[in-house]
Amino acid sequence: MQQSEPSAGRTPETVKVVTTHPLPAIPLCIAPADSPGVAFLGMSDFAVHRIDLAADKPEAKPIGEARHGSYVTGIVRAGGTLISGGYDGALIWWDAAAGSVQRRIEGAHAKWIRRLALSPDGSRVASVADDMRTKLWDVATGQCVAEWGDYDAKTPHGYPSMLYTVTFSPDGRFLATGSKTGLILVREAGSGSIAARLEAPVMYTWDPKARNHSIGGIRSLAFSSDATLLAVGGMGKVGNIDHLEGASRIELFEWQAQSRRAEIEDTKYKGLVEALRFGPGDGWLVAAGGDNGGFVSVYAATDGRLLAQEKVGNHVHDLALAADGASLVAVGHHQISAVNL
Amino acid sequence: MHPDHTGGGTTVHPQDSTQGSGVAQPGSGISRRRLLAMSAAGVASPLVADMSAIRLLRSPALAAELRKQERRVILLWLAGGASQFETWDPKPGVKTGGPFRAIPTDVPGIHISELLPGLAQRMRHTAVIRSLNTKIADHGTAAELMECGRRNDPSVRFPDIGAIVARELGRLESTVPDYVSLYTSTEGRRKGTSGFLGARYSPMFLSESMTPPNILRLENLTDVDHHDRAALRDALARRFTAESRSLAVDSHLSAYQRVQGMMASADLFDIGREPESVRARYGSTQFGEQCLIARRLVEAGVPFVKVARAWWDSHGQNFETHQELCADLDHCMSALLDDLRARGLLEHTLVITLGEFGRTPGINASLGRDHFASAWSCSLSGAGVRGGVAYGKTDKEGHTVVEGEASAGDLFATILASLGIDPEHEYMLGSRPVPLADFGSAPISEVLA
Amino acid sequence: MRPTCRLACRVVLLVGLGPATASLPAGAAEWLPAATDLPRAIDHAVGQHLEKAGITAAPAADWPTLLRRTALDLAGRIPTLAEYEWLESLPEAERRLAMVDHLMALVDFDLHLRNGLDELLLPNHPHNGEFRDYLLWAVQSRRPWDQMFRDLMAARPSEGPEKGAVHFVRSRVRDVDELTNDTAILLFGVNVSCAKCHDHPLVDQWQQQHFYGMQAFFSRTFMTRQNVVTERPFGQVTFKTTAGEDKTASLTFLNGVTIEDRSPTFTEEERKRLEEQLRKMEQSDKVGYVIFPDFSPRRELVEAALKDTEQRFFPRNIVNRIWQRLMGVALVDPPDQLHAGNPPSHPELMDWLTRDLVDHRYDLRRLVRGIVLSDAYARSSRWTSADTPPPPSSYALASTRPLTPRQMATSLLVASRGTVMDVAKAAEPGGAWSRQRLDLENQAGGWVREFEYPAEGFQVAVDEALFMSNNERVQNDLLRDSGDSLVGRLKASATDDALVRHVWRSVLTRDPSADEAAAATEWLARHPDDRLGSIRSLAWALIAGPEARFAR
């Protein structure tokens, strides 16, 4: 990743994959380090890895001996501390440099942890899990400082629901979460009171006739820097739910007005939108995800117009966008790619 | 149409000797005297040569024993192919293992996927087979293989397990159906087939509606008219049936004689007749309701019920899919096992989970697993089964079977043996011997009680 | 240890390993002059065997029974009332020939032969309209059976009327074992599947080489992404013998004759280029070409089978199948076991019919006509003697055969619709009857799934009895009382006697016996206030009866 001065007015015209490196396991989440080109990855081998893309032969290596009990699905970095969460329901605080464990909270959630989000001031980490709880943790002490429910444990069709994703607004005031069935809750991060309740039901496909189960869910959320816009990522309605064959889908909300500014569906690059970020200046947003194959797409935040896109190897699970918006690192199935915008 | 009796096996044509019994009583009008006069055509009963009678005589002890045990089967058909990793053969911590943990069960040393917590607590009733290698990994052909225990052949239509069990365990005089197949989802929907055993053993098939087709009387016909019309039909049929000396023709008679009984069994499909507390235990999912129907049916003496739970074909989002489907399976099957046990039926009832194949060790880019038939699992619970057994072994990452490899035929032989049916018993299809379980197969004695 | 083999292996154990009587056509020539007409040859052969076995055959069936049987076999349906009355009006001696000539001239014959071939060639496959259209065209244009065989195996797609024939291969193209087996079984009467794993333990004729030799004819067959069936220009079948030796199978027909592979040899580079093109054909739906190699193993199979003048698997198989269809029991039973260890019940007859078929350009009509005009075909199915009935393979009495779903459906419609026919004009191509019959054929399609296809061990399903008893289509369609329907006509009958006779003739092709007539009359008098209900119930009792379900 190249660091350069933020350029608020610049809008990407192309997406170009610069390099792609294979990985020994599936990276499910990424947190960039301070040094350019270095990132921490939560992976399917239960470990947190460090990789230096600037190296001759970039190689992902576990940062320490400790392991989660399952896939590592959320990772954030607060200064020299990494916090990871996994499908084992545990949270681990790591010394990012030494790779040692500073704190380990087993049973942080009763079910799979799906995502972590760090508050902009670095003091709080939010976690969401399939126990349908949203929890707020003190980064320094590891204390759970708040906990919210408000989601149904089951889908309307009687199956376990899932709480896939969480994000803070850049000013730290709001926290948004999104569920399998398409319910988005925006809360005051301080009080926990619900500031908005939004629905994106198209993201959830229930097939009562052919296959008798479901697919989909809200997989990604992003606030614009002024926190007025909330982008919601997932997949459109799916015909054959054996495959990720729905259109990739983003809904753009002016959430305080409860109004949907744009609905974006892309059938060229299908599948789940797994990660979303607004570019500097909020003029555009970048989405990544995929079916078997992966993609990175850039859309105008004003009306959802497609600005640029590119195929990126395999299905992308997460991305880290450089502060200047000129590049990103996408982690996908057994691979990591550096991408210029 | 006269079967050759060839000694070794059973000639296929298992017609029930119904001639002379139960002349339907007309309600009014046409006289009983008239009906009797018409039947007294002076033709000797053609059913002297009824092969099923001979067969039963051949081994009266066995037949009696089977009837006494009243064995039944509920097959939970996991259509589309459930993942062995996410059910019976978890491999946590290896590359192929996926994110789920293995949890201990009520049987020390046996762990299954955390997605089946209820079944883990009922492992003492269950034998898991982790070493199926059935080779065929496309849905249609594999389903046929796992239903029939062998590959099909254009010259012989093989019966599936339901038809064989119906044939072997059904009571000839039974008025309830002896093979009921429920498959509501449209994907991969299969009815089941009685093959050369003939339509007497083909399944009563329920798909969209949980009321069997054509089981209710048409409104514009009164009950009396329905009965009288049937009596007239029987009376007019008698001469032809007697003269034809054909087991196929006799089957026409017995099919019509079963109509009233089948119509009376419509209530079995109505779970509204169950107490609310029982319905609540099975839950409100379609699969739960159908498991309850299955329990009602076996309780009423139906020997084979297949409940298909589709569709497990998780090429994309395998783990999400299994979170839903395993939750359904775990809840409903746990309720079913408990209910059967509470009613004293579990020792008579074999509950099977099986699909057409398992799923690949490799996890694809959609976090899915694909079709895989080389090393996968199934389970047998209840009657005839040594509970608390995990038979067979796959390698560390689940690519191959390393211990106790079992074919579709072996599984078939095991199922039959657990029901007290000799897998080597041969049907005679004309001059062709067809063993119940395929040539070269053998029961897995380790999972048999 | 149980034998690790599929079905075919053990069949001969039970039929006995008698002397190998794979008789040769020369023997047939000596047995009866080739010029003998077919029915006489059949009766001569069947008669000889009966005499030798000391069996007295059943007498001839009465003419209404024979009319019903023949109509079902030739027209795929029961006779219309008009046909019954027309035949009744003819002198007894003329009825049989007139009946056969009449039925064979109708569109019914073509439809029914087409249906029979469809059931033979695509059993257990979904109804395929294109394939059925092809078969009908072939039957109507009197295409010889050997030519149809070429169509089925054709190596190049056709845009002509024969194009639907491709479905024989296409429906099995994803499984070369199935394609090999089905072809061997359905077209040659040979089930070689157990020779896949080892040489046949009991049939010396069948060795592993035979299975793989047969498979070699199909192993290059594949379907492009655009659903075109073609063949690769190279590729061989290799297999492991029971001794563990790796062998390459050459193109070998069942009689052991090996066909030289005349494919061109390709340089490494050409081969690579071809591989790439083939890969594209298989994977892309945008390829603008299909490769059809000059050397086609499937075409070679046809030539090899037709050149086989010794064992004659191809013509013997169809003789055996058609015989089975019309007579109830195959000459070689089971019909997928044409080998020396399983001789025909009437070896000379089998040879004679085979030679006659080949000599007469594989004309299936001639064979069918010959069989239905024989005395053996025309016997009664009733065995009134106290003695044990003779074995079915003696053909001493006719078999009682369940109707196929299509025969049943069409017959139900013919009976219940009160079908009208002008017998004299019925054979006119495109005439009123042809149109009506094609319409019935289409309508029958909506009923066929309610009836089980007859196979060994056939039984009537309780589902069928429930359908007939409770389905509203039976009540509202088959038993509707509009003017032109059966029930409508019965309602309009002048007397009960006429009504009863009408319904018996319409449904069962005969007059009622005295006690049947009395029972029916008594039934009608039962509810004078619900005469329509009584009539419907009477008609139902007959259409739902066994006599309507079987041919005897």
Side-chain angles (χ1 to χ4, degrees):
Chain A
M1 278 182 301
Q2 299 299 311
Q3 296 276 338
S4 56
E5 289 304 303
S7 50
R10 185 184 161 278
T11 300
E13 285 163 6
T14 57
V15 174
K16 186 171 174 0
V17 180
V18 186
T19 55
T20 294
H21 301 285
L23 293 174
I26 309 163
L28 298 154
C29 50
I30 180 170
D34 280 334
S35 346
V38 177
F40 298 98
L41 312 175
M43 307 239 304
S44 69
D45 61 359
F46 302 5
V48 172
H49 290 248
R50 180 180 183 280
I51 189 166
D52 182 358
L53 290 177
D56 282 349
K57 284 187 178 170
E59 213 178 329
K61 285 199 175 135
I63 58 170
E65 295 296 310
R67 295 288 181 273
H68 273 275
S70 184
Y71 288 10
V72 184
T73 47
I75 189 164
V76 293
R77 185 177 65 85
T81 300
L82 279 175
I83 303 169
S84 63
Y87 285 165
D88 56 357
L91 290 174
I92 300 179
W93 271 248
W94 309 77
D95 178 322
S100 55
V101 173
Q102 299 168 332
R103 181 180 299 111
R104 183 174 187 127
I105 304 177
E106 297 290 351
H109 282 272
K111 288 189 175 177
W112 285 13
I113 292 174
R114 294 287 188 166
R115 265 299 186 248
L116 302 182
L118 187 71
S119 64
D121 64 4
S123 68
R124 296 281 186 265
V125 60
S127 59
V128 286
D130 289 352
D131 58 7
M132 305 309 282
R133 314 290 292 174
T134 305
K135 296 189 180 183
L136 209 53
W137 309 83
D138 186 304
V139 169
T141 66
Q143 290 297 307
C144 180
V145 295
E147 177 179 348
W148 305 293
D150 304 310
Y151 281 97
D152 290 334
K154 291 198 167 179
T155 66
H157 307 101
Y159 297 96
S161 189
M162 292 148 193
L163 191 53
Y164 280 117
T165 189
V166 60
T167 195
F168 277 99
S169 63
D171 58 9
R173 272 187 64 200
F174 299 104
L175 186 70
T177 50
S179 76
K180 171 148 191 166
T181 57
L183 174 64
I184 303 128
L185 294 179
V186 182
R187 309 174 186 276
E188 301 271 357
S191 67
S193 64
I194 294 173
R197 175 184 288 267
L198 307 167
E199 307 264 358
V202 179
M203 307 272 189
Y204 170 68
T205 300
W206 163 251
D207 173 357
K209 191 170 162 60
R211 293 173 174 80
N212 198 15
H213 68 96
S214 72
I215 199 165
I218 292 173
R219 302 305 181 101
S220 49
L221 290 166
F223 282 102
S224 58
S225 59
D226 64 1
T228 57
L229 290 176
L230 179 62
V232 179
M235 180 168 56
K237 284 289 177 232
V238 184
N240 174 356
I241 62 169
D242 294 344
H243 301 272
L244 293 175
E245 64 166 40
S248 56
R249 180 176 174 90
I250 299 165
E251 296 184 25
L252 206 52
F253 287 93
E254 289 162 21
W255 64 273
Q256 278 151 322
Q258 297 268 331
S259 110
R260 200 182 270 110
R261 178 187 284 193
E263 291 175 70
I264 304 167
E265 284 218 348
D266 186 349
T267 51
K268 184 179 177 198
Y269 291 110
K270 293 183 178 181
L272 295 163
V273 172
E274 298 269 22
L276 277 170
R277 305 283 187 275
F278 276 87
D282 292 344
W284 52 274
L285 71 159
V286 58
D291 44 19
N292 266 306
F295 64 80
V296 170
S297 300
V298 181
Y299 297 97
T302 45
D303 54 5
R305 202 162 21 93
L306 178 68
L307 300 175
Q309 68 182 167
E310 187 59 66
K311 178 177 163 47
V312 184
N314 300 332
H315 183 110
V316 175
H317 288 291
D318 199 6
L319 68 82
L321 181 66
D324 63 358
S327 67
L328 59 84
V329 176
V331 289
H333 193 69
H334 287 286
Q335 71 179 29
I336 182 165
S337 302
V339 178
N340 282 347
L341 300 177
Chain B
M1 285 300 180
H2 298 264
D4 294 322
H5 184 224
T6 39
T10 305
T11 299
V12 175
H13 238 317
Q15 274 316 303
D16 171 8
S17 174
T18 42
Q19 183 78 4
S21 66
V23 173
Q25 283 281 356
S28 60
I30 188 164
S31 71
R32 177 169 169 77
R33 185 172 36 80
R34 167 85 64 203
L35 296 181
L36 290 175
M38 289 176 63
S39 66
V43 181
S45 164
L47 289 154
V48 181
D50 182 345
M51 299 321 302
S52 63
I54 290 172
R55 171 180 151 255
L56 290 179
L57 287 172
R58 195 172 53 81
S59 179
L62 175 65
E65 180 60 19
L66 282 180
R67 301 292 178 268
K68 198 177 71 193
Q69 292 180 353
E70 297 265 320
R71 294 254 161 114
R72 304 147 168 80
V73 179
I74 296 174
L75 168 59
L76 305 179
W77 178 254
L78 309 184
S83 166
Q84 66 280 10
F85 293 96
E86 278 71 46
T87 52
W88 304 116
D89 193 12
K91 307 270 182 193
V94 303
K95 192 175 168 190
T96 56
F100 296 107
R101 287 176 296 194
I103 52 170
T105 66
D106 60 348
V107 177
I110 298 183
H111 289 65
I112 63 175
S113 169
E114 65 170 317
L115 296 183
L116 302 176
L119 293 174
Q121 289 311 306
R122 291 158 181 84
M123 197 65 206
R124 64 193 179 282
H125 304 301
T126 298
V128 171
I129 297 171
R130 288 174 169 161
S131 49
L132 291 173
N133 178 3
T134 56
K135 300 188 171 72
I136 296 169
D138 76 85
H139 290 293
T141 319
E144 193 177 274
L145 173 70
M146 298 317 296
E147 284 167 357
C148 297
R150 57 191 122 206
R151 284 297 302 271
N152 226 333
D153 184 316
S155 53
V156 182
R157 298 176 314 129
F158 292 108
D160 66 19
I161 184 71
I164 291 176
V165 170
R167 161 71 195 274
E168 297 300 319
L169 301 188
R171 282 177 303 191
L172 294 171
E173 73 281 12
S174 170
T175 54
V176 295
D178 39 28
Y179 174 9
V180 176
S181 166
L182 313 177
Y183 198 137
T184 301
S185 300
T186 54
E187 189 65 20
R189 188 188 282 174
R190 298 171 66 85
K191 173 182 169 183
T193 174
S194 57
F196 61 71
L197 288 181
R200 168 65 181 78
Y201 299 106
S202 56
M204 174 184 271
F205 184 56
L206 287 80
S207 50
E208 268 89 11
S209 162
M210 283 303 108
T211 305
N214 303 316
I215 205 168
L216 301 175
R217 180 171 46 77
L218 289 174
E219 277 171 14
N220 57 6
L221 211 58
T222 67
D223 198 31
V224 172
D225 285 347
H226 198 276
H227 273 87
D228 282 2
R229 192 180 74 161
L232 177 69
R233 195 211 71 88
D234 289 352
L236 295 175
R238 197 154 291 125
R239 190 177 85 171
F240 181 85
T241 309
E243 283 177 357
S244 65
R245 294 167 171 262
S246 149
L247 294 171
V249 174
D250 296 338
S251 78
H252 193 271
L253 175 67
S254 40
Y256 278 86
Q257 284 182 334
R258 292 179 70 212
V259 163
Q260 296 298 336
M262 299 295 258
M263 290 172 69
S265 68
D267 286 352
L268 296 175
F269 297 89
D270 181 5
I271 56 167
R273 292 171 181 269
E274 287 287 326
E276 196 48 52
S277 60
V278 174
R279 295 182 61 175
R281 284 204 294 276
Y282 282 85
S284 60
T285 65
Q286 183 186 77
F287 185 54
E289 294 187 343
Q290 295 184 352
C291 283
L292 179 51
I293 291 175
R295 195 273 290 155
R296 286 175 61 80
L297 290 169
V298 297
E299 192 172 39
V302 176
F304 193 95
V305 184
K306 173 175 170 177
V307 182
R309 191 353 171 164
W311 177 249
W312 296 71
D313 198 17
S314 49
H315 293 287
Q317 302 279 291
N318 174 72
F319 308 113
E320 315 296 307
T321 301
H322 279 75
Q323 288 213 76
E324 284 197 327
L325 298 187
C326 286
D328 203 20
L329 173 67
D330 187 59
H331 179 86
C332 302
M333 183 169 159
S334 296
L336 177 65
L337 292 177
D338 292 352
D339 198 8
L340 288 171
R341 191 156 156 265
R343 289 163 195 266
L345 286 168
L346 189 55
E347 59 187 293
H348 302 290
T349 308
L350 174 67
V351 180
I352 305 169
T353 68
L354 181 67
E356 60 263 49
F357 40 59
R359 306 211 75 84
T360 45
I363 296 164
N364 68 31
S366 296
L367 294 185
R369 296 189 191 267
D370 302 309
H371 303 175
F372 187 65
S374 310
W376 59 291
S377 307
C378 68
S379 76
L380 308 173
S381 309
V385 167
R386 183 178 300 166
V389 169
Y391 174 82
K393 215 171 146 182
T394 49
D395 65 35
K396 189 165 162 263
E397 294 192 339
H399 294 285
T400 56
V401 173
V402 293
E403 207 177 290
E405 179 166 309
S407 66
D410 296 332
L411 175 62
F412 240 60
T414 308
I415 291 170
L416 293 171
S418 76
L419 299 170
I421 301 167
D422 178 5
E424 293 190 34
H425 178 75
E426 286 174 346
Y427 293 132
M428 290 307 303
L429 184 57
S431 55
R432 194 191 297 256
V434 182
L436 268 59
D438 202 7
F439 287 108
S441 63
I444 303 167
S445 56
E446 288 86 342
V447 305
L448 296 174
Chain C
M1 189 62 203
R2 308 167 68 198
T4 53
C5 181
R6 300 178 70 198
L7 298 178
C9 303
R10 296 186 55 220
V11 168
V12 284
L13 280 177
L14 290 132
V15 293
L17 276 171
T21 46
S23 40
L24 303 173
E30 286 157 20
W31 173 70
L32 263 188
T36 313
D37 76 353
L38 266 166
R40 241 199 81 217
I42 291 167
D43 289 325
H44 178 70
V46 172
Q48 271 192 335
H49 279 251
L50 288 173
E51 199 180 314
K52 214 165 119 194
I55 298 170
T56 308
D62 56 46
W63 76 266
T65 302
L66 191 57
L67 169 61
R68 189 164 185 277
R69 182 189 301 166
T70 313
L72 284 164
D73 280 334
L74 298 183
R77 56 163 175 84
I78 56 170
T80 60
L81 208 52
E83 286 169 322
Y84 181 94
E85 284 162 1
W86 164 66
L87 218 57
E88 192 182 25
S89 74
L90 295 183
E92 178 108 39
E94 292 174 21
R95 282 182 188 148
R96 189 128 180 243
L97 199 56
M99 166 170 88
V100 170
D101 284 340
H102 160 73
L103 292 168
M104 288 190 72
L106 301 180
V107 70
D108 304 55
F109 180 85
D110 299 330
L111 291 170
H112 184 55
L113 182 55
R114 180 274 301 270
N115 293 341
L117 292 173
D118 185 28
E119 287 153 6
L120 169 67
L121 297 169
L122 283 186
N124 316 322
H125 283 268
H127 182 99
N128 187 306
E130 274 192 5
F131 190 65
R132 287 170 61 78
D133 287 348
Y134 156 72
L135 290 174
L136 186 59
W137 166 81
V139 167
Q140 286 185 319
S141 58
R142 312 267 170 126
R143 202 158 175 84
W145 177 238
D146 58 336
Q147 191 55 47
M148 291 179 70
F149 179 31
R150 286 180 205 280
D151 297 340
L152 297 175
M153 293 289 126
R156 298 230 171 166
S158 152
E159 277 312 308
E162 62 277 11
K163 106 179 165 186
V166 71
H167 292 286
F168 181 86
V169 172
R170 193 165 133 177
S171 65
R172 299 164 167 105
V173 74
R174 291 181 202 288
D175 185 346
V176 68
D177 280 356
E178 186 188 355
L179 187 53
T180 308
N181 265 335
D182 284 16
T183 305
I185 289 170
L186 303 173
L187 292 170
F188 305 134
V190 170
N191 191 334
V192 285
S193 58
C194 84
K196 184 178 178 182
C197 315
H198 52 84
D199 291 349
H200 203 291
L202 295 166
V203 185
D204 290 342
Q205 272 177 304
W206 296 348
Q207 298 171 356
Q208 252 184 312
Q209 188 73 31
H210 283 96
F211 179 84
Y212 290 100
M214 272 299 285
Q215 191 168 76
F217 290 107
F218 296 106
S219 64
R220 294 182 185 178
T221 296
F222 76 104
M223 185 157 73
T224 70
R225 183 76 192 269
Q226 288 158 304
N227 296 337
V228 178
V229 172
T230 180
E231 292 170 300
R232 288 168 211 287
F234 41 70
Q236 284 178 317
V237 172
T238 55
F239 65 98
K240 220 180 218 9
T241 66
T242 42
E245 195 186 338
D246 286 316
K247 270 196 177 176
T248 301
S250 38
L251 301 161
T252 308
F253 188 58
L254 297 164
N255 59 358
V257 171
T258 294
I259 313 297
E260 187 200 347
D261 181 352
R262 302 188 303 281
S263 315
T265 38
F266 298 100
T267 63
E268 193 63 23
E269 199 177 314
E270 286 170 331
R271 206 179 154 105
K272 257 194 187 150
R273 207 188 57 225
L274 278 167
E275 294 273 18
E276 179 58 21
Q277 287 174 325
L278 291 167
R279 194 188 58 75
K280 278 190 190 150
M281 280 158 58
E282 273 188 280
Q283 294 177 359
S284 163
D285 50 12
K286 296 187 182 73
V287 178
Y289 59 87
V290 181
I291 297 173
F292 296 106
D294 289 337
F295 179 79
S296 159
R298 288 208 312 275
R299 197 160 52 211
E300 297 298 321
L301 175 65
V302 175
E303 298 314 318
L306 294 178
K307 276 183 202 148
D308 164 27
T309 52
E310 296 284 314
Q311 303 190 46
R312 301 187 165 213
F313 289 105
F314 174 69
R316 278 158 67 93
N317 172 64
I318 196 69
V319 166
N320 197 41
R321 303 271 180 183
I322 286 182
W323 180 273
Q324 179 186 32
R325 219 173 151 77
L326 297 171
M327 301 296 289
V329 182
L331 287 166
V332 177
D333 184 43
D336 66 339
Q337 300 289 320
L338 286 185
H339 58 80
N342 186 35
S345 57
H346 298 68
E348 324 77 12
L349 179 59
M350 177 57 129
D351 286 340
W352 201 91
L353 293 173
T354 304
R355 184 206 44 73
D356 187 81
L357 181 75
V358 176
D359 285 357
H360 292 90
R361 298 195 57 238
Y362 287 92
D363 179 1
L364 299 183
R365 274 169 199 265
R366 179 184 156 84
L367 177 62
V368 170
R369 184 182 162 86
I371 296 173
V372 299
L373 282 172
S374 69
D375 292 344
Y377 174 82
R379 293 197 226 287
S380 168
S381 63
R382 280 172 245 185
W383 190 251
T384 47
S385 146
D387 301 342
T388 316
S393 61
S394 70
Y395 308 109
L397 75 165
S399 57
T400 301
R401 289 173 281 145
L403 305 191
T404 65
R406 240 174 213 285
Q407 282 173 321
M408 183 65 193
T410 315
S411 298
L412 280 175
L413 296 177
V414 165
S416 67
R417 299 279 152 87
T419 307
V420 174
M421 174 194 254
D422 181 343
V423 176
K425 294 184 181 167
E428 279 176 12
W433 173 254
S434 294
R435 293 198 305 273
Q436 193 179 341
R437 181 62 176 82
L438 286 167
D439 189 36
L440 281 175
E441 183 75 6
N442 289 336
Q443 290 182 45
W447 295 78
V448 290
R449 57 188 286 264
E450 310 300 342
F451 305 97
E452 185 86 0
Y453 189 78
E456 182 88 38
F458 169 80
Q459 295 146 37
V460 174
V462 72
D463 283 0
E464 177 184 322
L466 283 166
F467 174 79
M468 292 299 290
S469 299
N470 296 329
N471 192 277
E472 57 189 14
R473 289 168 69 203
V474 173
Q475 196 72 9
N476 299 343
D477 186 340
L478 300 184
L479 298 177
R480 71 175 180 222
D481 67 333
S482 53
D484 58 344
S485 69
L486 173 66
V487 172
R489 287 173 205 275
L490 294 176
K491 228 168 50 173
S493 295
T495 64
D496 279 1
D497 280 353
L499 185 160
V500 171
R501 198 167 57 246
H502 188 100
V503 70
W504 249 263
R505 286 186 174 191
S506 298
V507 180
L508 303 179
T509 326
R510 66 176 175 89
D511 284 333
S513 67
D515 58 350
E516 284 171 333
T521 311
E522 201 174 309
W523 175 266
L524 292 169
R526 192 188 67 138
H527 287 309
D529 54 325
D530 183 20
R531 184 159 174 85
L532 176 59
S534 300
I535 292 173
R536 280 181 145 175
S537 293
L538 177 61
W540 179 84
L542 292 188
I543 65 171
E547 198 169 341
R549 185 68 180 85
F550 290 82
R552 69 161 170 192

